[in-house]
Amino acid sequence: AVVSTQSTGESPKYCIISGDPDKAVRIFTKVAKFNGVEMCPGYLESYQETRRGKLMDMFAPQFLKVSLALITAVFAGNFIYYGAIYAEPLLLQYAYCDGGNATADSCLMTD
C-alpha cells in the first residue's frame, strides 16, 4: 500500500476540488509524460462546492419516507442476520441431539 500511495499520489480531481489546480496540472503533466504523449492544451476550472449535505438532510420532508424506509430495512436485515448467527449454535444443538427430538431440558451441552 505504501508503494502504491507514493507512486500514484493524490487524484487531480481532489486537488481541483480542494483549491489547488496547479498541483492537478502537475499530476496531469506527469501522467502524460509517463504515457509518452503531450499534455492536451486547455485549462482546468476549479469547482467549489457551495454546500455539503448534512446528516439531518435525510429527515427533510422530501426525503423522510425514503430515509425511514431505508433505516427500517437496514435495522430489520441486521436484526435477522445477527439473530440467526447468534441463534445458530443453539438451534443446531437441538437439531443434532437425541435425533432431533430433544427439548431444552433433555439436551444439555456437555464438554
Side-chain angles (χ1 to χ4, degrees):
V2 174
V3 174
S4 161
T5 304
Q6 290 181 357
S7 65
T8 56
E10 294 175 351
S11 73
K13 181 178 180 180
Y14 173 78
C15 294
I16 292 170
I17 290 174
S18 64
D20 194 5
D22 294 331
K23 187 173 183 179
V25 171
R26 287 194 305 271
I27 293 170
F28 280 129
T29 305
K30 183 178 174 182
V31 170
K33 183 179 177 184
F34 179 80
N35 288 330
V37 296
E38 295 217 10
M39 183 73 172
C40 296
Y43 63 94
L44 295 175
E45 291 185 14
S46 181
Y47 171 77
Q48 294 297 323
E49 199 171 307
T50 57
R51 180 182 178 277
R52 296 187 64 173
K54 305 288 183 208
L55 180 64
M56 292 309 293
D57 289 344
M58 290 182 5
F59 302 104
Q62 66 265 31
F63 304 125
L64 185 60
K65 287 182 183 177
V66 173
S67 295
L68 292 177
L70 287 172
I71 289 169
T72 303
V74 169
F75 176 77
N78 284 330
F79 189 79
I80 292 168
Y81 174 76
Y82 287 107
I85 292 297
Y86 290 127
E88 182 180 18
L90 185 63
L91 295 173
L92 291 177
Q93 173 190 358
Y94 295 137
Y96 292 110
C97 182
D98 195 24
N101 298 324
T103 63
D105 296 330
S106 67
C107 185
L108 298 174
M109 290 183 74
T110 59
D111 291 345

